[in-house]
């Protein structure tokens, strides 16, 4: 059942109850969980938080923790599949779903007793009618009790005719149902951030704070950085967050003047889309940012020379560019944005390629932190396997990064993320230099060989796939690549011979709708490939490495 009033139809049910919170392994879900945790602490609600990495993990977590629990909150999981069918709960258990995955499964939409899905009103579109999807057939084919032979024959003929008509009607209804469901589910996409939904629930209860707004900012930024939403949808959500932020600052005063020194201050301003430039050198940041690296084609000698010309035009000495941001000359550092905007168009970049509305936070006397920096740090820590942490350790360590006073955790997360980004850029250059990005006709694809790097995790692989697609398109004189989607296959578990496959939409699409989920299902069915659709994003799957060749051959046939 779709819910529009979370305060009345969701949160009011939690009073004097034990609530089980199942949280998906992404930054948006992490931020939504932090907001909900704050609300529970305000109202003294007893709760348990369990991080989950996929459908198998979800089933295990539910079975291990469901005893005596009647209220289950699911964050960024549960909307896109039949949660009751998967988990088989008792009849008095209710699921409250805060999930940005779309489309919402029709069983969740029409289950009014056990499933409550929070959505924004303007996102309720294209849901099939109940009568189109569900049907209750009545068995009215019983005999009317006639005993004589003539009556029996007449009744049998009527019975057969009626049976054939009902059978034909049933077949036509099923064909229409299958067509309707395919149309409804053929594209996967993302709706409003779970953290933003949670913030608006807190707002309706007059419990929103600057800290909660900051968590929602990070959640929305996570959607943008992992290409879940378009730039237009991001700006729409950012404007809504700005209106929330304005309510917490006194009219006519700046943020600095209106809040104490030890409060969290949030600034809304235009921000450079240069990765970690406040924590790196300008040169390294430009070389490792997807937009600038692809526009300058920095994997070529000509591209590196072009970058040096760009820096020379701005009048920034190379020694300054290669210093840490904090060590740069203040006159250069304070005017960096204006200098970059002045010369980007000369080198083929539009201002919107390098500038985006964003938020920075400031706490005490520490330096500013940008929302994108927090997202990348948390995302890397969630998927970090360097220290052999289990999933719960990684999850709660990423939670620490969101704490305003855990700056050491933030710095460590940023350093880990910088290492990961360097590996991603190196992998992109290897794929391009070795000409391993191939065109299969309806899509581009690339295989990352085993041993080329560590095993890839889903969010890291999403950023890598997008980087490869943009870099490939930038290096082609023809614009055909802009209209082709991309499939990337990488090692996931080398010992068990498992690979991870991800499909991403073409660069020319603005709405980020992804059709690979259905295509993957059909290709696996046609080839009997050993796959596991464990991830909550249906455009990501695990496959036995031996089956990937025939799987890709089937995909080519399906998508042609």
């Amino acid at each position: 059942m779709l819910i529009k009033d979370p305060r009345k139809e969701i949160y009011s049910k939690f009073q004097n109850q034990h609530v089980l919170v199942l949280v998906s392994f992404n930054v948006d879900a992490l931020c939504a969980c932090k907001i909900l945790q704050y609300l529970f602490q305000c109202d003294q609600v007893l709760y348990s938080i369990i991080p989950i990495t996929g459908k198998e993990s979800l089933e295990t977590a539910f079975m291990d923790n469901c005893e005596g629990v009647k209220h289950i909150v699911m964050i960024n999981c549960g909307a896109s599949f039949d949660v009751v069918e998967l988990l088989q709960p008792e009849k008095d258990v209710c699921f409250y779903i805060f999930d940005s995955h779309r489309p919402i499964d029709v069983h969740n939409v029409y289950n009014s007793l056990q499933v409550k899905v929070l959505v924004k009103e303007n996102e309720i579109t294209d849901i099939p009618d109940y009568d189109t999807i569900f049907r209750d057939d009545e068995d009215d084919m019983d005999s009317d009790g006639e005993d004589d032979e003539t009556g029996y024959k007449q009744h049998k003929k009527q019975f057969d005719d009626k049976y054939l008509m009902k059978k034909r009607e049933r077949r036509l209804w099923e064909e229409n149902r299958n067509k309707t469901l395919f149309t409804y589910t053929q594209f996967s996409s993302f709706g409003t951030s779970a953290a933003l939904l949670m913030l608006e629930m807190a707002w309706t209860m007059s419990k929103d704070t600057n800290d909660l707004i900051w968590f929602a900012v990070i959640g929305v930024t996570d959607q943008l950085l992992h290409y879940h939403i378009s730039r237009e949808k991001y700006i729409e959500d950012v404007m809504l967050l700005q209106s929330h932020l304005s309510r917490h600052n006194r009219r006519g005063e700046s943020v600095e003047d209106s809040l104490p020194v030890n409060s969290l201050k949030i600034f809304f301003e235009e921000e450079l889309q240069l990765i970690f430039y406040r924590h790196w050198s300008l040169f390294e940041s430009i070389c490792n940012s997807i937009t600038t690296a692809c526009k300058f084609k920095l994997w070529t000698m000509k591209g590196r020379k072009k970058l040096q010309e760009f820096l020379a035009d701005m009048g920034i000495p190379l020694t300054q560019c290669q210093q840490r941001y904090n060590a740069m000359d203040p006159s250069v550092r304070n005017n960096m944005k204006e200098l970059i905007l002045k010369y980007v168009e000369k080198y083929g970049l539009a201002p919107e390629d390098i500038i985006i509305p964003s938020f920075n936070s400031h706490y005490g006397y520490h330096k500013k932190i940008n929302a994108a920096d927090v997202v990348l740090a948390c995302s890397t820590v969630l998927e970090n396997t360097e220290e052999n942490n289990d999933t719960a350790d990684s999850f709660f360590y990423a939670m620490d990064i969101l704490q305003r006073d855990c700056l050491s955790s933030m710095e460590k997360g940023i350093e880990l993320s910088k290492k990961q980004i360097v590996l991603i850029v190196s992998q992109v250059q290897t794929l391009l230099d070795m000409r391993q990005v191939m065109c299969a006709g309806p899509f581009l694809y690339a295989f990352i060989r085993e041993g080329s790097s560590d095993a890839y995790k889903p969010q890291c692989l999403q950023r890598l796939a997008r980087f490869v697609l943009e870099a490939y398109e930038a290096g082609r004189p023809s614009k055909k690549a802009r209209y082709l989607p991309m499939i990337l296959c990488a090692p996931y578990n080398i010992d068990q011979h498992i690979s991870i496959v991800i499909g991403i939409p073409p660069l020319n699409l603005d709405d980020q709708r992804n059709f690979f989920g259905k295509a993957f299902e059909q290709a696996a069915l046609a080839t009997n490939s050993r796959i596991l659709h464990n991830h909550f994003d249906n455009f990501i799957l695990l496959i036995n490495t031996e089956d990937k060749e025939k799987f890709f051959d089937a995909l080519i046939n399906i998508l042609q």
Side-chain angles (χ1 to χ4, degrees):
M1 181 178 179
L2 303 182
I3 298 299
K4 303 172 190 174
D5 185 356
R7 178 181 181 180
K8 179 182 177 182
E9 299 182 79
I10 295 181
Y11 195 80
S12 62
K13 312 293 185 184
F14 300 153
Q15 300 301 321
N16 303 317
Q17 299 290 330
H18 179 198
V19 182
L20 177 62
V21 184
L22 303 175
V23 190
S24 181
F25 237 59
N26 58 69
V27 179
D28 179 32
L30 189 75
C31 293
C33 179
K34 288 288 289 183
I35 296 173
L36 185 62
Q37 187 181 32
Y38 171 82
L39 297 177
F40 282 167
Q41 290 169 352
C42 287
D43 296 318
Q44 298 181 341
V45 175
L46 183 64
Y47 65 92
S48 301
I49 295 175
I50 309 293
I52 52 173
T53 55
K55 293 177 183 176
E56 289 185 346
S57 172
L58 173 62
E59 290 183 82
T60 303
F62 179 76
M63 292 300 296
D64 292 345
N65 298 277
C66 67
E67 186 175 352
V69 178
K70 305 302 180 187
H71 301 280
I72 317 292
V73 174
M74 303 179 72
I75 302 179
N76 267 355
C77 59
S80 57
F81 56 89
D82 187 352
V83 66
V84 174
E85 176 68 23
L86 179 70
L87 300 180
Q88 297 292 316
E90 298 292 332
K91 291 185 178 180
D92 57 348
V93 173
C94 191
F95 296 92
Y96 306 90
I97 299 175
F98 297 77
D99 190 1
S100 60
H101 289 92
R102 299 291 181 269
I104 301 172
D105 188 271
V106 291
H107 295 86
N108 295 335
V109 172
Y110 292 111
N111 187 333
S112 59
L113 298 177
Q114 289 189 274
V115 181
K116 314 290 184 186
V117 185
L118 180 63
V119 294
K120 286 200 164 187
E121 191 168 357
N122 60 355
E123 293 179 0
I124 304 175
T125 57
D126 302 328
I127 296 174
D129 294 333
Y130 180 88
D131 293 335
T132 308
I133 305 300
F134 302 101
R135 173 172 173 155
D136 299 322
D137 284 336
E138 295 181 0
D139 186 10
D140 55 355
M141 298 183 184
D142 297 332
S143 129
D144 59 5
E146 295 186 35
D147 295 325
D148 59 282
E149 186 176 348
T150 305
Y152 172 76
K153 290 180 179 179
Q154 184 179 3
H155 174 72
K156 185 175 185 301
K157 184 178 184 303
Q158 291 175 350
F159 178 88
D160 289 343
D161 291 343
K162 186 176 181 181
Y163 174 77
L164 290 173
M165 288 179 63
K166 286 181 71 74
K167 188 175 180 180
R168 180 176 179 274
E169 183 186 345
R170 175 77 183 191
R171 178 175 56 80
L172 292 174
W173 178 85
E174 286 181 350
E175 288 177 359
N176 182 61
R177 178 183 188 272
N178 293 337
K179 182 180 178 181
T180 302
L181 280 177
F182 181 83
T183 303
Y184 177 62
T185 60
Q186 65 177 325
F187 294 106
S188 59
S189 59
F190 291 84
T192 300
S193 153
L196 183 53
L197 291 174
M198 204 71 76
L199 172 69
E200 297 214 301
M201 185 174 76
W203 171 55
T204 62
M205 298 186 289
S206 301
K207 291 179 180 176
D208 56 324
T209 65
N210 260 11
D211 292 85
L212 303 194
I213 293 172
W214 179 239
F215 295 147
V217 164
I218 296 170
V220 171
T221 306
D222 173 60
Q223 286 194 310
L224 178 73
L225 292 186
H226 289 100
Y227 309 101
H228 291 168
I229 57 175
S230 64
R231 183 186 177 101
E232 289 72 23
K233 169 63 174 169
Y234 167 78
I235 292 175
E236 177 187 327
D237 290 344
V238 160
M239 292 300 107
L240 177 59
L241 287 165
Q242 166 62 1
S243 67
H244 283 295
L245 185 62
S246 298
R247 290 185 294 102
H248 288 267
N249 298 321
R250 296 176 188 173
R251 186 176 297 176
E253 296 183 2
S254 66
V255 176
E256 295 92 332
D257 297 333
S258 61
L259 294 172
V261 172
N262 62 347
S263 296
L264 179 70
K265 304 175 184 68
I266 305 174
F267 307 87
F268 176 67
E269 53 193 354
E270 290 189 330
E271 182 70 14
L272 289 170
Q273 292 194 80
L274 295 178
I275 200 163
F276 289 134
Y277 74 90
R278 290 190 179 90
H279 309 273
W280 227 338
S281 69
L282 177 62
F283 186 81
E284 288 173 305
S285 180
I286 291 175
C287 289
N288 291 289
S289 297
I290 181 169
T291 302
T292 49
C294 293
K295 289 294 183 180
F296 285 110
K297 303 175 190 175
L298 293 179
W299 54 89
T300 65
M301 290 297 295
K302 185 178 179 181
R304 295 189 194 100
K305 183 179 179 182
K306 193 175 179 182
L307 173 59
Q308 291 178 347
E309 291 175 3
F310 173 64
L311 295 173
D313 276 348
M314 289 195 299
I316 305 178
L318 202 56
T319 53
Q320 289 284 324
C321 296
Q322 293 176 339
Q323 287 182 346
R324 297 265 308 190
Y325 178 81
N326 288 340
M328 293 178 71
D329 188 290
S331 62
V332 175
R333 187 175 65 223
N334 296 336
N335 296 309
M336 185 188 301
K337 189 187 302 181
E338 290 75 14
L339 287 171
I340 290 176
L341 282 174
K342 185 177 180 181
Y343 293 98
V344 287
E345 292 188 23
K346 178 181 175 182
Y347 291 86
L349 284 91
E352 57 268 22
D353 292 332
I354 204 73
I355 291 288
I356 195 164
S358 185
F359 293 86
N360 293 306
S361 72
H362 186 228
Y363 173 67
Y365 296 100
H366 300 284
K367 60 186 175 185
K368 281 184 182 180
I369 295 289
N370 182 253
D373 298 343
V374 181
V375 168
L376 292 172
C378 285
S379 180
T380 305
V381 167
L382 283 173
E383 298 185 335
N384 178 37
T385 56
E386 250 183 42
E387 300 175 3
N388 297 318
N389 294 335
D390 63 23
T391 55
D393 288 342
S394 298
F395 180 86
F396 291 109
Y397 178 43
M399 259 193 165
D400 287 342
I401 292 177
L402 297 177
Q403 296 287 352
R404 65 166 78 166
D405 53 351
C406 290
L407 293 175
S408 59
S409 298
M410 171 69 74
E411 291 295 336
K412 186 177 178 182
I414 288 173
E415 292 304 314
L416 282 173
S417 187
K418 283 157 67 173
K419 291 179 183 177
Q420 185 188 74
I421 289 161
V422 169
L423 288 174
I424 287 175
V425 174
S426 174
Q427 186 62 66
V428 171
Q429 182 157 3
T430 299
L431 290 172
L432 294 174
D433 290 345
M434 302 296 291
R435 298 181 181 274
Q436 292 178 346
V437 181
M438 309 296 292
C439 181
F443 59 85
L444 302 169
Y445 71 94
F447 294 157
I448 297 176
R449 297 174 182 174
E450 291 185 2
S452 60
S453 65
D454 294 332
Y456 282 92
K457 301 297 181 184
Q459 294 188 77
C460 174
L461 196 66
Q462 279 183 273
R463 298 198 301 274
L464 173 60
R466 179 71 178 213
F467 208 141
V468 172
L469 182 56
E470 290 203 23
Y472 180 85
E473 189 267 338
R476 299 278 130 180
S478 168
K479 293 300 179 184
K480 180 184 176 183
R482 189 163 190 82
Y483 300 92
L484 293 175
M486 174 88 191
I487 299 177
L488 192 61
C489 182
Y492 183 80
N493 188 319
I494 297 174
D495 295 334
Q496 297 181 15
H497 305 288
I498 296 175
S499 297
I500 183 170
V501 180
I502 181 171
I504 62 171
L507 297 176
N508 70 310
L509 290 184
D510 295 327
D511 55 6
Q512 301 298 324
R513 291 193 305 165
N514 196 316
F515 60 83
F516 277 115
K518 283 291 182 184
F520 286 168
E521 283 182 18
Q522 293 176 11
L525 190 63
T527 57
N528 291 321
S529 298
R530 291 161 287 182
I531 68 164
L532 178 61
H533 242 135
N534 185 49
H535 203 266
F536 297 122
D537 298 323
N538 65 358
F539 52 85
I540 299 175
L541 62 79
L542 303 180
I543 187 170
N544 189 288
T545 304
E546 296 175 357
D547 294 338
K548 67 182 182 182
E549 297 288 347
K550 64 179 182 180
F551 177 80
F552 271 76
D553 289 341
L555 271 178
I556 294 171
N557 292 330
I558 289 170
L559 296 175
Q560 273 181 343

